[in-house]
C-alpha cells in the first residue's frame, strides 16, 4: 500500500505544508495497524473542526499579510440582535458597504468572519480583512451597532507566524473551551457562532505524491525549519497520519 503525501506551498514557497497518510485498505509489509473502528460523534466533530481550521488557515496564508486587519465589531445592549439570522443580516449590510468602498479604490475585498453570541447574551463579530490603507476608518464609519476594536493581524493575541493559532480562534464555536492557567479545561464562552468567508478565496491545490515507505523521522528541507508537526492515528482506518509545517529561514514576508 502506498503512502500519499500532499504538499501545499504558500507565500511563494516561504511556508510549506505536507500531509502524509496511508492510501488504501491494507498495510504494507511490516506496517503495524491499530484495529479499525467506527468513529464516534465526538471524533467526527474533532475531524470536522480540524478541517475547518485547516481551510481557514490556508485562506489566511494565501490572501492575507501581516499588515492586514483583525477587527472586533460589538453591539450596544439595546442593539443586540434577537437571533443569528438577524446578526447575519447586519453583517451582510455592513460588508456590502465596505465592498462598495473597496471598488471605488479598485481593490478586491477579502474577508473571514465569525459571528459569536456569548454565554451571557452579548454578541460580537470577529473579522479579518485585507487593508487598503484606510480600512480601519471605513469600518469605524460603517459599523453602526456598537463599538469597533481594530488591530493589525500581527498585533493580535492569537497571531503566530503560520496562522495556526489565529485560525483556531476564528473558527471557535459553542463546544470550544479554553485551557486555564492550571492546565484544566474551562467552560465554553461561546453559545452560538456562524463562520463564513468571502467567496473569492479559492483554496490552493496540493501537489500529490505517492511513496512506498513511512519515514519514521522528518527532516526539514534545506533552508527551512519545522514550525509545527502533528502525528496521530486515523480512527476510521487505524493507520497513522502526519502533518508538518516548514518555514523558510530567510523568508521574504
Amino acid at each position: 500500500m502506498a503512502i500519499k503525501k500532499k504538499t501545499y506551498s504558500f507565500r511563494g514557497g516561504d511556508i510549506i505544508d505536507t500531509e502524509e497518510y496511508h492510501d488504501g485498505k491494507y498495510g504494507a509489509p511490516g506496517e503495524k495497524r491499530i484495529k479499525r473502528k467506527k468513529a464516534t460523534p465526538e471524533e467526527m466533530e474533532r475531524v470536522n473542526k480540524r478541517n475547518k481550521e485547516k481551510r481557514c488557515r490556508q485562506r489566511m496564508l494565501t490572501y492575507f499579510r501581516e499588515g492586514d486587519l483583525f477587527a472586533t465589531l460589538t453591539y450596544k445592549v439595546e442593539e443586540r440582535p434577537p437571533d443569528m439570522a438577524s446578526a447575519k443580516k447586519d453583517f451582510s449590510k455592513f460588508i456590502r458597504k465596505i465592498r462598495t468602498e473597496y471598488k471605488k479604490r479598485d481593490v478586491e475585498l477579502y474577508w473571514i468572519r465569525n459571528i459569536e453570541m456569548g454565554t451571557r447574551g452579548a454578541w460580537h463579530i470577529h473579522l479579518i480583512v485585507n487593508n487598503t490603507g484606510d480600512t480601519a476608518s471605513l469600518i469605524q464609519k460603517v459599523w453602526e451597532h456598537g463599538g469597533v476594536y481594530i488591530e493589525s493581524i500581527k498585533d493580535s493575541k492569537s497571531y503566530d507566524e503560520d496562522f495556526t493559532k489565529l485560525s483556531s480562534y476564528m473558527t471557535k464555536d459553542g463546544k470550544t473551551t479554553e485551557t486555564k492557567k492550571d492546565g484544566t479545561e474551562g467552560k465554553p464562552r461561546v453559545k452560538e457562532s456562524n463562520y463564513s468567508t468571502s467567496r473569492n478565496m479559492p483554496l490552493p491545490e496540493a501537489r500529490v505524491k505517492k511513496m512506498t515507505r513511512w519515514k519514521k523521522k522528518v527532516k526539514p528541507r534545506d533552508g527551512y525549519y519545522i514550525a509545527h508537526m502533528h502525528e496521530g492515528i486515523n480512527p476510521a482506518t487505524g493507520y497513522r497520519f502526519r502533518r508538518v509545517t516548514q518555514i523558510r529561514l530567510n523568508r521574504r514576508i
Side-chain angles (χ1 to χ4, degrees):
M1 178 192 65
I3 308 298
K4 183 172 285 187
K5 181 177 182 179
K6 290 184 176 181
T7 301
Y8 298 88
S9 178
F10 304 100
R11 304 194 179 195
D14 281 343
I15 298 178
I16 303 294
D17 271 2
T18 56
E19 300 175 356
E20 299 174 41
Y21 55 92
H22 292 276
D23 181 28
K25 297 181 179 179
Y26 303 100
E31 177 63 32
K32 293 183 179 180
R33 178 181 183 180
I34 305 300
K35 185 177 180 181
R36 182 174 180 169
K37 63 178 182 179
K38 185 177 180 180
T40 66
E42 291 77 15
E43 287 171 334
M44 289 307 301
E45 283 181 5
R46 286 195 292 270
V47 170
N48 292 337
K49 178 173 174 53
R50 186 164 60 241
N51 287 336
K52 184 165 71 170
E53 289 178 6
K54 169 188 168 181
R55 292 189 292 268
C56 177
R57 175 178 172 274
Q58 288 183 338
R59 286 190 169 97
M60 288 183 188
L61 287 170
T62 304
Y63 296 98
F64 298 97
R65 296 294 184 268
E66 294 178 355
D68 291 329
L69 302 180
F70 175 80
T72 300
L73 316 178
T74 66
Y75 281 88
K76 301 173 186 176
V77 174
E78 63 273 17
E79 293 267 356
R80 288 177 180 174
D83 50 37
M84 182 60 74
S86 298
K88 290 168 67 175
K89 288 181 181 179
D90 290 340
F91 179 80
S92 295
K93 181 180 178 181
F94 160 81
I95 207 67
R96 281 197 300 269
K97 293 181 179 179
I98 295 294
R99 185 179 293 109
T100 296
E101 294 298 326
Y102 271 54
K103 287 182 178 179
K104 291 178 181 178
R105 292 157 177 77
D106 198 26
V107 176
E108 189 167 8
L109 173 65
Y110 301 109
W111 57 264
I112 297 174
R113 65 102 172 112
N114 200 24
I115 302 174
E116 300 177 8
M117 183 182 73
T119 54
R120 297 182 180 181
W123 291 79
H124 61 271
I125 303 172
H126 291 308
L127 173 67
I128 291 177
V129 62
N130 58 312
N131 189 8
T132 65
D134 62 347
T135 299
S137 61
L138 286 176
I139 293 175
Q140 293 276 1
K141 179 181 178 180
V142 173
W143 183 250
E144 302 174 341
H145 302 283
V148 175
Y149 303 90
I150 301 175
E151 55 191 346
S152 70
I153 288 176
K154 190 173 182 179
D155 292 333
S156 167
K157 65 179 181 180
S158 298
Y159 171 81
D160 58 341
E161 58 190 346
D162 71 337
F163 289 161
T164 298
K165 292 180 182 178
L166 189 55
S167 64
S168 177
Y169 186 79
M170 283 296 296
T171 56
K172 62 183 183 296
D173 56 27
K175 296 184 179 180
T176 303
T177 60
E178 294 184 5
T179 303
K180 297 180 180 179
K181 292 182 179 179
D182 61 4
T184 60
E185 290 296 315
K187 295 180 179 180
R189 298 179 61 183
V190 176
K191 185 176 181 180
E192 185 179 3
S193 68
N194 182 272
Y195 169 82
S196 186
T197 73
S198 57
R199 296 180 181 180
N200 57 338
M201 299 165 62
L203 291 172
E205 294 290 334
R207 187 173 72 253
V208 181
K209 179 181 179 182
K210 287 190 175 181
M211 303 180 296
T212 58
R213 294 179 54 199
W214 181 271
K215 294 183 179 179
K216 293 184 178 180
K217 292 185 178 181
V218 178
K219 295 182 180 180
R221 297 185 179 190
D222 290 341
Y224 289 76
Y225 68 94
I226 295 177
H228 297 286
M229 182 167 66
H230 176 72
E231 295 180 295
I233 301 292
N234 185 323
T237 65
Y239 286 114
R240 292 177 292 182
F241 67 87
R242 177 191 292 142
R243 295 189 296 273
V244 182
T245 298
Q246 300 186 48
I247 299 179
R248 198 192 306 267
L249 289 169
N250 297 314
R251 57 189 182 278
R252 295 181 295 276
I253 300 174

